[in-house]
């Protein structure tokens, strides 16, 4: 058997799917709902459609949106030691690096834990709402989804949540710490963000954007 | 779990490159070789990113350079009633261990010393391995790459701990914590290492294997 070196023209290009991790090419075969199509060589998940994934993601995204705004605004943690009290919101924590050269770090932290997740939720809603309700995609929907995908590694809410746990242990014997409403909101937020990411099948979104339904 | 049908006529897995097509790494659509922009998602198309390694090494070096001051300068400045203290990453962990919090000390040492160093080593190993022959199989190197990409973000945890502590512990004269210079360099080091891992074109891991197999066939 010889591997084809020249362009293999017997498969039309739109019917090919190529693993982004290892470049293995496959004939497109859309799996059933709940099944996953996996690269045979490096086991990267290529397609993972789920029933009603779009609606579920929109529902999750809406609750995430409300929780982010709430979690950023309400007090997050409260500390009490010998009569001295101090309550902080997540924005206070993000901006802790304060003035001077560390202001850059403040802005970066605020972006990583609030603004990037917020932007991703808004972009996801913008892209998915027309698709799920069988309407033509919103203008620049592809650019929006691309931006949202590019921001994915920089959305660090779940890491911030674990950071809270470590910080709490560190100051537990120094002072009494009380949880504000934002703490619980943020906890729910992290769970929802992870769920949202696992429901989203990227290939299906690209495919739907490429072949919009006529309404 | 469904396996995809192979695109080639043979039993062997055929890569897009061997078929004379170029694939989009973002939306996995195939295009004729020579096309530069994906018609579906607008991503830049390259069959193999030849400049990838240069970018990997550039970011890698920046990450390593920033990691040095991140350990040399203090991460936290703690001021209690009478004592003013500055502690580095390792110093802080040692102090915790002395107080008996072995678990936390271990987590901090693991997250901010072991993982960053392991990441530097792994990225360097991967970048070198696509240029030379290695004993490690493509599968294990792919796994290694995925682990590095996944774990990279978690190093930011240190920065977040510093942010939470220094905003929360502001009890006027009783105790206050302020972030030190090291936090800035540590964050930079994490960000550069993430960029370095993202710049790596993992398809190169599998090319070397194909080349080796061809060489074996010729013998």
């Amino acid at each position: 058997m010889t591997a084809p070196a020249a362009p293999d023209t017997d498969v039309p290009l739109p019917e090919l799917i190529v693993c982004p991790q290892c470049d293995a090419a496959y004939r497109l075969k859309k799996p059933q709902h709940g099944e996953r199509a996996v690269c045979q060589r490096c086991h990267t998940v290529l397609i993972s459609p789920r029933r009603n994934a779009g609606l579920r993601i929109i529902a999750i995204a809406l609750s995430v949106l409300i929780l982010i705004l709430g979690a950023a605004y309400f007090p997050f943690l409260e500390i009490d030691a010998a009569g001295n009290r101090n309550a902080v919101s997540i924005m206070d924590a993000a901006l802790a690096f304060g003035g001077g050269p560390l202001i850059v770090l403040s802005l970066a932290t605020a972006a990583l834990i609030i603004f990037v997740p917020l932007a991703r939720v808004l972009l996801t809603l913008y892209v998915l709402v027309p698709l799920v309700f069988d309407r033509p995609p919103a203008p620049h929907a592809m650019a929006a989804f691309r931006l949202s995908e590019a921001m994915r590694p920089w959305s660090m809410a779940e890491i911030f949540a674990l950071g809270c746990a470590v910080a709490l242990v560190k100051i537990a014997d120094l002072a009494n710490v009380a949880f504000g409403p934002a703490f619980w909101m943020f906890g729910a937020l992290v769970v929802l963000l992870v769920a949202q990411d696992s429901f989203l099948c990227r290939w299906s979104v690209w495919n739907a954007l490429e072949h919009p339904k006529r309404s | 779990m469904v396996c995809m049908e192979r695109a080639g006529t043979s039993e062997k897995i055929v890569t897009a490159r061997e078929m004379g097509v170029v694939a989009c790494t973002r939306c996995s659509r195939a295009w004729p070789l020579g096309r530069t922009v994906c018609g579906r998602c607008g991503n830049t198309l390259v069959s193999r990113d030849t400049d990838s390694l240069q970018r990997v090494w550039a970011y890698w070096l920046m990450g390593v350079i920033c990691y040095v001051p991140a350990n040399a300068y203090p991460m936290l400045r703690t001021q209690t009633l009478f004592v003013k203290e500055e502690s580095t990453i390792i110093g802080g962990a040692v102090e915790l261990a002395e107080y008996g919090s072995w678990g936390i000390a271990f987590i901090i040492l693991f997250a901010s010393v072991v993982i960053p160093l392991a990441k530097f080593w792994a990225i360097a190993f991967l970048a070198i391995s696509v240029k030379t022959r290695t004993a490690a199989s493509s599968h294990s190197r792919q796994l290694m790459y995925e682990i590095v990409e996944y774990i990279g973000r978690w190093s930011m945890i240190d920065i977040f701990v510093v942010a939470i502590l220094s905003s929360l512990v502001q009890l006027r004269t009783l105790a206050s914590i302020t972030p030190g210079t090291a936090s800035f360099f540590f964050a930079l080091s994490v960000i550069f290492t993430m960029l370095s891992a993202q710049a790596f074109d993992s398809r190169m891991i599998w090319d070397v294997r194909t080349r080796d197999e061809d060489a074996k066939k010729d013998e």
Side-chain angles (χ1 to χ4, degrees):
Chain A
M1 286 271 185
T2 50
D8 188 352
T9 44
D10 66 341
V11 186
L13 291 184
E15 282 173 33
L16 277 180
I17 182 167
V18 180
C19 173
Q21 292 285 341
C22 76
D23 211 31
Y26 302 99
R27 227 180 264 271
L28 192 57
K29 194 173 73 180
K30 211 175 169 216
Q32 297 295 307
H33 286 291
E35 285 181 333
R36 301 189 307 169
V38 177
C39 172
Q40 290 181 28
R41 184 154 76 165
C42 71
H43 309 298
T44 302
V45 177
L46 299 175
I47 311 180
S48 58
R50 283 170 192 251
R51 199 175 299 281
N52 293 332
L55 265 183
R56 281 190 217 174
I57 293 171
I58 289 175
I60 294 176
L62 284 174
S63 21
V64 165
L65 188 62
I66 296 166
L67 285 175
I68 288 183
L69 297 176
Y73 176 74
F74 287 110
F76 180 60
L77 290 171
E78 228 177 63
I79 188 175
D80 188 354
N84 284 300
R85 294 172 65 83
N86 186 27
V88 291
S89 70
I90 291 182
M91 276 312 268
D92 293 333
L95 298 175
F97 297 101
L102 290 180
I103 187 80
V104 187
L105 193 53
S106 270
L107 296 178
T109 314
L112 293 174
I113 56 185
I114 298 182
F115 294 114
V116 171
L118 184 64
R120 285 202 68 210
V121 165
L122 292 175
L123 289 171
T124 305
L125 283 173
Y126 182 76
V127 172
L128 284 186
V129 168
L131 289 186
V132 169
F133 294 105
D134 288 339
R135 291 175 185 265
H140 307 295
M142 289 203 180
F145 192 56
R146 197 165 71 229
L147 185 62
S148 158
E149 283 296 277
M151 283 195 291
R152 186 145 53 102
W154 305 100
S155 163
M156 298 192 178
E158 72 273 30
I159 301 169
F160 183 77
L162 194 66
C164 282
V166 175
L168 286 180
V169 178
K170 269 187 140 177
I171 48 174
D173 48 353
L174 182 78
N176 287 320
V177 182
F179 303 126
F183 184 85
W184 306 110
M185 285 180 164
F186 200 78
L189 180 69
V190 168
V191 176
L192 288 177
L193 279 176
V194 173
Q196 187 191 10
D197 233 32
S198 70
F199 277 133
L200 186 67
C201 169
R202 281 151 197 101
W203 183 86
S204 303
V205 175
W206 287 122
N207 194 48
L209 288 175
E210 192 186 24
H211 308 288
K213 285 182 185 159
R214 307 260 174 264
S215 61
Chain B
M1 205 162 86
V2 179
C3 274
M4 278 283 169
E5 222 173 297
R6 291 179 170 95
T9 41
S10 60
E11 281 302 295
K12 194 171 157 271
I13 286 178
V14 181
T15 64
R17 188 193 185 81
E18 286 163 343
M19 293 182 67
V21 297
V22 55
C24 174
T25 49
R26 185 174 281 134
C27 73
S28 63
R29 176 84 148 80
W31 297 99
L33 206 59
R35 203 184 156 115
T36 50
V37 176
C38 175
R40 176 151 77 180
C41 74
N43 195 23
T44 313
L45 296 176
V46 268
S47 182
R48 289 300 175 275
D49 195 349
T50 40
D51 298 333
S52 153
L53 286 181
Q54 283 186 28
R55 275 183 286 131
V56 169
W57 284 116
Y59 285 132
W60 184 85
L61 196 63
M62 287 301 289
V64 173
I65 290 173
C66 290
Y67 190 67
V68 177
N71 275 287
Y73 285 113
M75 191 79 163
L76 281 177
R77 292 200 179 83
T78 316
Q79 185 158 17
T80 44
L81 275 180
F82 308 106
V83 204
K84 204 174 182 179
E85 243 185 332
E86 294 195 331
S87 59
T88 57
I89 295 174
I90 297 178
V94 169
E95 204 176 292
L96 277 170
E98 280 170 354
Y99 284 127
S101 319
W102 287 99
I104 296 291
F106 178 77
I107 289 178
I108 290 172
L109 272 186
F110 195 75
S112 40
V113 180
V114 178
I115 289 181
L117 291 179
K119 265 189 315 189
F120 290 139
W121 174 80
I123 295 174
F125 172 80
L126 286 172
I128 292 169
S129 81
V130 297
K131 284 282 174 192
T132 53
R133 278 158 185 277
T134 45
S137 72
S138 297
H139 279 108
S140 52
R141 279 182 294 146
Q142 176 74 34
L143 183 69
M144 193 166 162
Y145 176 66
E146 277 165 19
I147 293 175
V148 166
E149 262 218 306
Y150 179 77
I151 285 192
R153 316 159 58 233
W154 286 91
S155 296
M156 278 305 260
I157 194 171
D158 248 40
I159 298 301
F160 295 152
V161 170
V162 171
I164 297 165
L165 285 181
S166 44
S167 64
L168 194 57
V169 186
Q170 292 296 341
L171 301 169
R172 282 174 221 99
T173 50
L174 193 65
S176 73
I177 294 180
T178 41
T181 328
S183 54
F184 180 66
F185 289 105
F186 192 84
L188 275 185
S189 175
V190 174
I191 289 169
F192 279 123
T193 319
M194 279 177 69
L195 289 172
S196 173
Q198 282 173 21
F200 185 74
D201 187 348
S202 66
R203 294 175 294 184
M204 291 188 296
I205 291 177
W206 301 88
D207 285 346
V208 181
R209 194 182 82 142
T210 324
R211 221 183 301 145
D212 283 355
E213 279 172 359
D214 291 346
K216 249 179 232 162
K217 240 181 263 170
D218 293 342
E219 275 162 16

